[in-house]
Amino acid sequence: ETITVEKDWRNSININIVERFSDFYLLNQGQIFTLDSYGNLISILEVLPTTTTLPILNFDSRNLVIGEQVVDKDFLDNTKVLYDFWQNDELAPEILYIDINDKYKKEFKVRTSKGFDVFLSRNYDLVDQLESYKNLYNSKIKDGRAISYIDLRVNGWIYYK
């Protein structure tokens, strides 16, 4: 991430290197990338690790270049809030991936292991939307009711089918 070089008074050089770490996996057109917390592509992987605690983002839109910033830091900070909240709810189905759409960067589409999608908006309080999702899931869905989506993008309303 950063490199600093300083000359020491004893005719020596101190080099400090701060590494950039992967905070997300990004799937795009059949390729797997690692992404840092600023939205920059770090590297390409051959396979997705089978056990991961990192969020998986799906961004199937265009050719990407290592070093390019794909999404902004604010979007990724919101994604971390969403992912952490979701992972701390033991009853929630596993997140398979979170869709990123170039056209709709103010929205999240979460694909779950139970086969339904959850739509959320960055225009409204994310934690409130997640609490609404949790209440709906625990009261109507966890016991086996089949649904295809839950839409929380309209402030104060929940749509599901």
Side-chain angles (χ1 to χ4, degrees):
E1 188 158 316
T2 60
I3 299 174
T4 57
V5 179
E6 296 176 344
K7 183 176 185 262
D8 197 323
W9 63 273
R10 296 170 288 190
N11 288 333
S12 62
I13 296 176
N14 293 323
I15 301 173
N16 276 334
I17 300 173
V18 177
E19 279 188 75
R20 181 176 293 165
F21 293 100
S22 301
D23 290 322
F24 299 89
Y25 292 114
L26 183 83
L27 309 178
N28 183 64
Q29 298 180 350
Q31 291 183 304
I32 304 162
F33 295 88
T34 58
L35 193 66
D36 70 8
S37 63
Y38 296 99
N40 300 309
L41 297 174
I42 299 173
S43 62
I44 299 177
L45 301 176
E46 293 293 321
V47 295
L48 189 64
T50 54
T51 57
T52 180
T53 57
L54 297 179
I56 300 170
L57 307 175
N58 187 43
F59 187 77
D60 204 22
S61 69
R62 58 185 167 81
N63 291 330
L64 302 175
V65 178
I66 297 297
E68 175 183 5
Q69 184 179 22
V70 179
V71 292
D72 61 76
K73 183 172 177 11
D74 184 53
F75 182 91
L76 294 176
D77 289 345
N78 281 299
T79 301
K80 285 181 185 177
V81 168
L82 183 157
Y83 196 81
D84 289 345
F85 183 96
W86 203 291
Q87 298 305 95
N88 288 331
D89 183 359
E90 297 166 1
L91 301 174
E94 180 183 356
I95 293 176
L96 294 180
Y97 56 82
I98 300 168
D99 265 334
I100 301 173
N101 187 326
D102 251 348
K103 198 173 175 184
Y104 304 106
K105 289 193 175 180
K106 292 288 185 185
E107 299 177 357
F108 291 103
K109 177 184 172 188
V110 178
R111 182 67 169 175
T112 70
S113 60
K114 297 263 185 177
F116 64 86
D117 297 322
V118 179
F119 296 91
L120 302 125
S121 172
R122 289 178 58 201
N123 292 328
Y124 306 112
D125 187 281
L126 192 56
V127 174
D128 285 349
Q129 292 174 78
L130 290 167
E131 286 290 346
S132 295
Y133 159 77
K134 183 178 177 179
N135 292 336
L136 176 68
Y137 183 81
N138 290 335
S139 66
K140 302 211 182 228
I141 299 166
K142 74 175 180 182
D143 296 329
R145 181 175 180 171
I147 63 166
S148 57
Y149 70 86
I150 299 172
D151 192 341
L152 300 154
R153 293 176 289 185
V154 178
N155 196 24
W157 291 85
I158 302 172
Y159 299 96
Y160 63 98
K161 175 181 165 191

